[in-house]
Amino acid sequence: MQATADVTKKESSWSSWKGQAIDLLYWRNVKQSGAVFSSVLLLLFSLTQFSVVSVGAYLALAALSATISFRIYKSVLQAVQKTDEGHPFKSYLEMEIALSQDQISKYADKILLYSNTCMKELRRLFLVQDLVDSLKFAVLMWLLTYVGALFNGLTLLILAVVSMFTMPVVYEKHQAQIDQYVGLIRTQVNSVVGKIQAKIPGAKRKEE
């Protein structure tokens, strides 16, 4: 019973976190999404101008300046008003932030699963288990050489963040039109792939 309750609690926690992430990306709360979006972009743009060490140090100094100033302010206010409210961050200091052994095991299992799946897929592609899939992968890598020549890693990360916060909203508003164009593109791609499979010996997939 206890194990079942723990599993149910974990699933509920995961569903809640997933729901919050979706609400964030779909701008359900404009202020919250705007704050997260602008903060992440500011951090990434800062990394384009300064080193990771410098950005980390400046962020730590800014946080310490805010917390120290607030602590001093509350201490002075308590002294003037002759009250004893205690430490202003007492609730946060008493908050449990340590990961449990079950949580560590769960995340480790997920990482292990993703790693094994990734290694198996790469082995399948590089050893040409399916010729068409390996050719698609080769084309993708070839296209990425041009992307890498135009953008660095941070620029791609900035573009990814912008896409994460804009594309879901655009898709939600124009889902019918986007699905129509995606369907047409998919049909054309499948047609080209079918022609390649028909002409290249050994490229045709085995029927399952």
Side-chain angles (χ1 to χ4, degrees):
M1 293 293 292
Q2 181 63 34
T4 304
D6 291 340
V7 170
T8 304
K9 185 177 181 181
K10 289 177 181 178
E11 291 179 350
S12 176
S13 177
W14 168 253
S15 300
S16 176
W17 181 87
K18 185 178 180 181
Q20 290 176 359
I22 291 175
D23 290 343
L24 196 67
L25 295 178
Y26 279 88
W27 295 76
R28 307 298 189 207
N29 186 326
V30 177
K31 291 183 179 180
Q32 187 178 21
S33 297
V36 174
F37 181 50
S38 58
S39 299
V40 174
L41 276 186
L42 180 61
L43 174 62
L44 293 176
F45 279 122
S46 299
L47 290 173
T48 62
Q49 302 297 324
F50 305 100
S51 67
V52 176
V53 176
S54 297
V55 172
Y58 283 128
L59 288 174
L61 284 173
L64 281 170
S65 299
T67 53
I68 291 172
S69 300
F70 186 72
R71 172 70 192 279
I72 294 174
Y73 166 75
K74 293 296 289 186
S75 298
V76 172
L77 192 63
Q78 290 178 31
V80 172
Q81 296 179 347
K82 296 181 179 180
T83 58
D84 187 16
E85 298 177 1
H87 199 288
F89 300 117
K90 183 179 179 181
S91 59
Y92 295 103
L93 290 171
E94 294 176 349
M95 186 182 296
E96 181 63 37
I97 60 173
L99 289 173
S100 66
Q101 187 64 39
D102 291 339
Q103 289 175 318
I104 294 174
S105 299
K106 181 182 69 173
Y107 295 136
D109 290 341
K110 286 186 177 181
I111 292 173
L112 184 62
L113 177 62
Y114 294 148
S115 299
N116 290 335
T117 303
C118 183
M119 287 190 293
K120 288 179 181 179
E121 184 65 17
L122 289 175
R123 180 185 65 181
R124 189 181 71 86
L125 292 171
F126 279 106
L127 298 183
V128 200
Q129 181 177 348
D130 186 287
L131 181 57
V132 174
D133 286 345
S134 295
L135 288 174
K136 289 179 182 178
F137 185 65
V139 171
L140 176 62
M141 292 300 102
W142 177 68
L143 292 175
L144 287 179
T145 61
Y146 288 94
V147 174
L150 294 174
F151 308 104
N152 58 29
L154 270 177
T155 304
L156 291 175
L157 192 56
I158 291 171
L159 292 175
V161 171
V162 173
S163 299
M164 285 172 59
F165 278 88
T166 55
M167 292 182 67
V169 178
V170 173
Y171 178 73
E172 188 178 41
K173 291 181 177 179
H174 307 282
Q175 182 175 356
Q177 297 92 322
I178 293 174
D179 286 345
Q180 180 181 359
Y181 289 123
V182 170
L184 292 173
I185 294 172
R186 184 178 296 146
T187 302
Q188 292 296 324
V189 171
N190 290 337
S191 175
V192 173
V193 171
K195 291 178 181 178
I196 294 174
Q197 288 177 328
K199 292 182 179 180
I200 299 179
K204 191 173 181 179
R205 295 179 185 271
K206 294 181 180 180
E207 293 188 5
E208 298 180 1

